Amino acid sequence: MSVDNSALRGGHIMAAFLPGEGRPRQNGSIAPAEFATADGLNLSADIAGEPWRSRIIFLHGGAQSRRSWRRALEVFALGGFSVVSYDLRGHGESDWSAKGDYSLEAHVSDLISIVRSSPGRPILIGASLGGRVALAAAAKLGSEVINCLVLVDLTPRLNAVGLNRIRNFLSESVEGFADRAAAAAALSLYAERPLDKPMSNIGRSLIKHNNGRFYWRWDPQAALDANLDPVDLERNLRQAARRLEVPTLLVRGTESDLVTPDCVSDFLRDCPSAEVVNIEGQGHLMKSSNWEFFCNAALEFVHRHTRHPVSDPSEY
């Protein structure tokens, strides 16, 4: 597949460390950064690892933020990679779209901007919504630009039961919560497990509005059906899966109500070269509840498809 140069020409983007922050170190320490999008939004990011190492870009799920990947950043930086996790537009500390544009195309354009600032051919790891974006971008850019792809509980076809559960959580979240405890209860139900986060950590993901209610840090417009489940989404993502040239790994929880065995079978028909790793007894958010298994499986895969420089090029 040839590279879509017209997409790559849109808006020159560079990552910039914020004032007072040093260069990320290989020991896994994390530094803040920002990226600008082609339509002028600022996306907040975290970076770790030596910058000349092979780059991994992490994309979080809907209604989450880059901090859902924080432990993975540390693990993969210590594993010898340069890593980036960013807040998708309308999420976390990134700008909201004044036009309410949270389409797959807008997210893909943002990711392409970040890919352009990366050394070499980056690796994409995307969960749920982030997986949609990573899949579409990898198919569009091809193997000349992207090294490999890891999808976390995301296939083009998604089970209606899981989609409805996510839709219900997002709808409830749009209305806000009376207090942090109510928000934590809703999140625990969505995660299908008791939360291990202290209430103070959950509070960092909430904003208290003037009406006294608490809201998650994402734009409610991102939860509209036009963005969550647009017309022809499955068809478009299946076409993207058929065009994939890069090595691809799907990691899923065996108890996921979103990516069922039938969804996996359909994906493998579209992308027969893909590898699949199942995390036993885990649901849709398995990467949060079984970090060690997920990181080991993903690290083994990306190491197989990556050649690392052995030292700092500036030393020569």
Side-chain angles (χ1 to χ4, degrees), residues 4 31 45 69 71 134 138-139 143 149 153 155 158 163 170-171 173 175 186 218 220 246 263 295 301 303:
D4 185 350
W69 288 114
R71 282 184 285 181
S143 58
L149 171 67
D153 216 54
T155 51
L158 297 174
L163 272 176
L170 295 177
S171 297
S173 299
E175 301 300 321
W218 47 268
V246 302
C263 298
C295 287
F301 175 79
H303 273 302

Side-chain angles (χ1 to χ4, degrees), residues 209-254:
H209 284 199
N210 292 335
N211 62 4
R213 295 183 68 79
F214 290 83
Y215 297 83
W216 301 113
R217 291 180 181 271
W218 47 268
D219 187 345
Q221 292 188 84
L224 297 177
D225 274 347
N227 295 312
L228 178 66
D229 191 21
V231 175
D232 292 333
L233 175 65
E234 179 181 333
R235 178 177 63 86
N236 292 338
L237 289 179
R238 293 194 69 169
Q239 290 176 350
R242 295 182 189 118
R243 296 197 308 270
L244 281 175
E245 295 179 334
V246 302
T248 299
L249 171 68
L250 168 63
V251 183
R252 65 174 291 269
T254 58

Side-chain angles (χ1 to χ4, degrees), residues 161-216:
V161 172
L163 272 176
N164 287 334
R165 182 173 60 83
I166 292 173
R167 185 178 286 109
N168 290 338
F169 170 73
L170 295 177
S171 297
E172 181 181 5
S173 299
V174 166
E175 301 300 321
F177 304 94
D179 51 35
R180 292 183 179 88
L187 183 58
S188 180
L189 183 64
Y190 170 61
E192 302 178 300
R193 61 182 173 83
L195 297 178
D196 57 2
K197 295 181 178 180
M199 192 64 67
S200 59
N201 287 353
I202 292 174
R204 296 171 192 164
S205 300
L206 293 165
I207 304 173
K208 187 175 183 180
H209 284 199
N210 292 335
N211 62 4
R213 295 183 68 79
F214 290 83
Y215 297 83
W216 301 113

Side-chain angles (χ1 to χ4, degrees), residues 252-291:
R252 65 174 291 269
T254 58
E255 302 304 311
S256 173
D257 61 357
L258 192 68
V259 176
T260 64
D262 286 343
C263 298
V264 176
S265 296
D266 282 351
F267 176 58
L268 292 176
R269 278 192 285 272
D270 292 330
C271 185
S273 63
E275 302 177 31
V276 179
V277 169
N278 292 304
I279 301 183
E280 294 294 332
Q282 300 296 320
H284 177 55
L285 299 181
M286 100 298 293
K287 72 175 179 61
S288 299
S289 55
N290 200 328
W291 271 101

